Every structure is written in structure tokens, then in C-alpha cells.
Amino acid sequence: MGTTGRQISVGMVGGGPGADIGKTHRNGMRLDDRYSLDAGVFGQNREASLDLGRALGVAEERIYPDYPELIRAETARADGIDVVIVATPNDSHYEIAKALLEADVHVVCEKPLTLASEQAAELVRIAEERDLILAVPHCYSAYPMVREAARLIRDGALGQVNFIDVEHASGWNATALEKAGNKQAAWRTDPAVGGPASVVGDLGTHAYHLARYITGLEAEQFSAQLRTIVPERRVFDHATVNIRWAQGVTGRIWASMVATGHNHGLRIRVFGDRGSLEWQHEDPHHLHLQDLAGETRILTHGMSTLSEESARLTRVGLGHPEGFLEAFANFYRDLADELDARRFGRPTTIRELSFPTGVDGLIGVQMVEAALASNDADGAWVVPASAAKAGA
């Protein structure tokens, strides 16, 4: 499918009216003009899906009533879709992604990849067996200065890393929005849909991936305390997770959807024996470095002295701030490079610092499960399945 033509043909399942993440995916992939949104199921409401699809320029006959029909029709077309974005609530990720992979369609699936690690592992296995891309949009890793931070640590700029502190503490759901008709809050606080550890799957997995991506380290043990702060809420909305990383490194993740007054609230600090660094999502074009004496250097994307890892993702010149849509566009550019390489029989474009895959999604789900198990054991240290398998 889709082996001719300049643009990569995309389908979308979910991301309908009122879903900000759907708009973010669509806008991000448009920035480099390498994709064409040609098919979709834009929500469960048929009329609303049709209205949105038409507004997006999708031909009406390719706006399908459900994802099985999308798969059946698109795989039968000579110009059928190359990749599908799954932007539905968490509980449906597994069945949709599995059906697409089994139909030999590349998949971009929102996080958490699944609600159970066995399901995530199965998706990874199917993708590997069929030589398909299964990507998970932890798109904070696609900011230029995050790539710069990762390169600096790998090149030894901080010396031996000894502590990693990450927080994704937002106050967006500090009141019971689910009782006020907020659709996003309703499914994210439904344990059957968002999972009982909703805040860990929704925000904690981003923080965890960011720490893994920047430092190159893997976690060996977790000790978690999960709380429900909003009265009568049925999921955990606040989490503190202590982590024992490889190489004797320690750290913590604070994830919250009830951090009153906080906006997006994503920040990472990494400390080594020669210096430290800090990156904040709300100031993404700056990276702060401090040496042993406490002297601070502020690196800005677009500086001529930065690494190639950062420079290749910088879209505007020095002094012009970039943002979330550009990070999504960088994710989709890396993905497009690899999709085109596979379409046209070229060498792989995947590099050391590239887009997150199903393996990253699986490790995130394993972290969620370990946090739940630790919390159930009153904060006891729990070895995640990823570390247990690595040590087997």
C-alpha cells in the first residue's frame, strides 16, 4: 500500500471533535508537508465523525463507521493508507493497534500503549515479526534541547550521573471536572478506560520516558505512593515514585493532575559529579547547565555550538522560540524518514536518538504496573518486568 507518490498516506482512529491530541497530531504532521490525511474514524458518533472528516478534506467514502471497516477498505486499495494514528481512550489501544498490525499497517499509538504489559508485549512482538513500525508519541523527546541534553550526558558533560528528578505536575484536573461534563476528564478518571493508576499512565509515563531518553539509563526498582486527592474520584490522581536506576543512580518522579495552580508542569533535572542540567517544557528552547561552582550556562536552540542532534531539529533561527507543535512535527519527520526508507528500500534512518517505539511504550506500561504493585505493598521496592527480564 502507498508505495507511490511523494506524501505518506495517513489514517486516524479517534482524535475527533473536542480531542486536543487529535488536533496536535494533525497539525504536527502537516508542518513538513510529508503526510496526507486520507482516511479515518473520527469518533464513535457517525455524524460528528463525518463532519470533522469533511472539514479536514477527507473524501467522504474514506470516513469509515469503525476501524474494522477502515482496515478492510484501505488494505484493498492500491492507494491505501501507510500508517494509522490511534488517538482513542486507553482501553481501546490494544485491540485497534493489534488489528492494524495484523493487517500489515504501520501504527502510531498514543500512550499508555495498553492497559496491561502482556498486551503491550504482544503488540511489540507482532510489529517485530512483521517488520512494521509501532511508534509511541512521547514527543517531548523531539525537542531540540532535549536531544541536546541527551547528547551532553552521553558525551560525559555531567560526569557520572547520580540523581534524576522529574516531575509532570499539572493542575488541570484539581477539581472534579468529570462531574461537570468534561469529556476528557470523564474517561481519564474511569478506571476501566484510563486504568486505576490513571495519572501514572497519562503523565508518569511521559516523565519516565523523558528520564530514560535523556540519561540512557534503565530503572531497576520502584517504590511508589499513589493517592486520590479529589474526593470520590475513582482513580489515583497523584503519584510519587522513587526510582533506583542502573549504575547506582537514584531519583524520583512526581506525577499529578491535581497540582493546584500548575500549568503543564513538566521539568527534568539531572545531577552528575561534574555538573547538572535542567529542562522545562514551559521554556523548551533553553537548557540550563551548572558546574561544580554553581556557575550557570544557558544554552538556546539555534546556537551554532550545539550538537548535530539538536541542530537537525531546530526549525527557526536563534532567538525565536519553538513549541509543542514543532516537537510533534520533529517526531513525525523522524517517522517519515523511516517510513520512506522502508517504502523505497533505502537503509534505515533510525539513529541513537530517534523516535520512541513500542518497546518504549511497553516499558512505560511495565512502570505503571510496578508502581501499582509497590503502592499495594505500602511502598515496598518492586522490580519492573523490564528489569527482571534484563537480569534473567
Side-chain angles (χ1 to χ4, degrees):
M1 297 187 305
T3 57
T4 60
R6 182 175 61 86
Q7 290 184 310
I8 296 164
S9 183
V10 180
M12 175 173 275
V13 180
D20 285 341
I21 196 63
K23 290 188 291 185
T24 302
H25 278 277
R26 292 189 292 266
N27 289 332
M29 71 180 183
R30 285 191 182 115
L31 286 188
D32 291 317
D33 198 27
R34 296 180 66 180
Y35 296 88
S36 174
L37 180 61
D38 295 324
V41 183
F42 304 102
Q44 295 179 335
N45 183 295
R46 177 63 174 158
E47 290 306 313
S49 176
L50 283 167
D51 287 344
L52 179 59
R54 294 188 197 104
L56 294 170
V58 179
E60 186 163 335
E61 68 271 15
R62 299 180 77 177
I63 306 170
Y64 299 101
D66 52 42
Y67 75 85
E69 180 60 19
L70 178 147
I71 293 171
R72 185 201 65 76
E74 289 296 318
T75 54
R77 295 178 64 110
D79 62 347
I81 48 177
D82 299 300
V83 59
V84 170
I85 301 164
V86 180
T88 59
N90 303 349
D91 63 328
S92 59
H93 290 177
Y94 168 70
E95 64 178 30
I96 299 171
K98 181 173 183 286
L100 288 162
L101 292 170
E102 289 179 337
D104 290 322
V105 179
H106 300 292
V107 173
V108 173
C109 184
E110 265 298 332
K111 53 78 214 163
L113 181 56
T114 60
L115 292 182
S117 60
E118 294 85 357
Q119 295 175 336
E122 184 178 2
L123 296 182
V124 170
R125 177 186 59 78
I126 296 169
E128 289 177 348
E129 288 177 352
R130 294 175 176 264
D131 194 27
L132 293 167
I133 294 173
L134 171 60
V136 179
H138 287 298
C139 286
Y140 304 107
S141 62
Y143 277 101
M145 299 315 288
V146 168
R147 297 278 173 100
E148 185 70 15
R151 177 49 54 207
L152 286 169
I153 288 177
R154 283 161 175 77
D155 289 348
L158 304 189
Q160 175 61 48
V161 172
N162 53 52
F163 187 75
I164 306 165
D165 185 63
V166 201
E167 57 188 56
H168 201 336
S170 166
W172 80 276
N173 207 5
T175 60
L177 293 179
E178 63 268 32
K179 296 182 179 180
N182 185 297
K183 185 177 178 181
Q184 293 295 313
W187 74 257
R188 292 180 193 277
T189 57
D190 182 342
V193 179
S198 177
V199 69
V200 186
D202 191 31
L203 302 181
T205 54
H206 274 317
Y208 182 43
H209 179 263
L210 189 64
R212 291 179 54 243
Y213 193 90
I214 285 180
T215 66
L217 296 173
E218 297 293 346
E220 295 183 341
Q221 290 182 302
F222 297 100
S223 171
Q225 291 181 312
L226 311 182
R227 292 187 60 195
T228 302
I229 290 180
V230 173
E232 300 181 8
R233 180 164 282 166
R234 295 184 294 156
V235 298
F236 293 117
D237 54 18
H238 185 92
T240 337
V241 184
N242 292 313
I243 304 177
R244 290 173 177 165
W245 296 89
Q247 302 177 19
V249 178
T250 59
R252 63 129 203 180
I253 288 174
W254 170 33
S256 180
M257 63 175 79
V258 294
T260 311
H262 270 224
N263 296 320
H264 196 67
L266 178 60
R267 178 177 73 160
I268 182 167
R269 294 181 293 173
V270 182
F271 298 84
D273 60 10
R274 289 174 49 195
S276 63
L277 63 77
E278 177 175 347
W279 180 82
Q280 296 190 50
H281 180 254
E282 290 166 37
D283 182 20
H285 54 293
H286 290 134
L287 179 64
H288 293 249
L289 298 175
Q290 288 187 301
D291 63 17
L292 281 169
E295 181 180 348
T296 300
R297 263 197 318 144
I298 301 176
L299 305 183
T300 305
H301 81 257
M303 293 173 61
S304 62
T305 55
L306 299 183
S307 70
E308 192 268 341
E309 299 286 0
S310 170
R312 63 180 291 271
L313 298 188
T314 299
R315 293 175 172 272
V316 295
L318 183 65
H320 298 281
E322 296 181 2
F324 196 44
L325 290 181
E326 285 89 348
F328 260 81
N330 287 336
F331 166 84
Y332 275 109
R333 188 172 74 181
D334 278 348
L335 179 64
D337 287 345
E338 182 61 16
L339 285 168
D340 277 343
R342 295 183 181 213
R343 286 199 300 165
F344 303 122
R346 300 168 184 158
T348 182
T349 63
I350 294 176
R351 31 200 309 135
E352 181 185 14
L353 299 173
S354 191
F355 59 87
T357 68
V359 173
D360 296 295
L362 168 60
I363 292 173
V365 177
Q366 290 169 333
M367 183 271 282
V368 175
E369 291 178 340
L372 277 169
S374 173
N375 184 72
D376 289 346
D378 199 24
W381 287 99
V382 170
V383 177
S386 54
K389 183 177 181 180

